[in-house]
């Protein structure tokens, strides 16, 4: 199993104000679905700079602003994209991890699940389909 990217998720009641704040630090919107906006930096990676899982190199820095999670029980603290979501789920299930949200396919093209780490942070483990 390989990690493709790790993205911190910040819960916010005002994504517009937060987006404007982070824009002053050089982050720009790469995706906006209403309930989640992903911001990316420029010039921070060695790949094509698209920030996608199909990028041939390292994706640029990313930060997500979330008002809620559309289908999950909570806003996760971070998202980790892996190349094999089912293998990650099975590995953590077998280890007795606290699985909060079962593995499932989402309408926006990802397969994912939520798990709580030992310090009680919620991790969204995902892969693009």
């Amino acid at each position: 199993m390989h990690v493709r990217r790790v993205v911190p998720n910040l819960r916010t009641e005002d994504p517009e104000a937060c987006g404007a704040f982070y824009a002053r630090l050089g982050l720009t919107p790469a995706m906006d679905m209403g309930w989640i906006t992903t911001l990316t930096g420029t010039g921070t990676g060695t790949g094509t700079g698209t920030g996608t899982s199909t990028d041939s190199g390292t994706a640029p820095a990313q930060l997500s602003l979330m008002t809620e999670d559309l289908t999950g029980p909570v806003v996760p603290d971070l998202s980790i994209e892996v190349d094999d979501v089912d293998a990650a789920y099975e590995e953590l299930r077998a280890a007795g991890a606290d699985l909060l949200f079962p593995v499932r396919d989402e309408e926006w093209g990802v397969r994912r699940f939520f798990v709580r780490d030992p310090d009680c942070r919620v991790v969204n483990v995902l892969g693009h389909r």
Side-chain angles (χ1 to χ4, degrees), residues 12-109:
T12 179
E13 298 301 320
D14 192 345
E16 190 172 309
C18 281
F21 173 83
Y22 288 107
R24 290 181 183 95
L25 295 171
L27 296 171
T28 58
M31 176 195 76
D32 187 343
M33 295 177 67
W35 56 276
I36 181 172
T37 301
T38 298
L39 308 173
T40 60
T42 58
T44 58
T46 58
T48 62
T50 63
T52 66
S53 59
T54 57
D55 192 348
S56 61
T58 304
Q62 294 185 327
L63 175 69
S64 289
L65 307 173
M66 299 179 73
T67 57
E68 64 178 331
D69 189 282
L70 193 59
T71 60
V74 297
V75 170
D77 296 298
L78 70 144
S79 295
I80 300 177
E81 183 179 358
V82 297
D83 64 345
D84 189 338
V85 173
D86 294 303
Y89 184 84
E90 186 55 35
E91 171 74 22
L92 292 168
R93 187 199 61 73
D98 184 8
L99 299 165
L100 304 176
F101 186 69
V103 67
R104 62 181 275 165
D105 293 325
E106 300 288 10
E107 65 184 45
W108 55 90

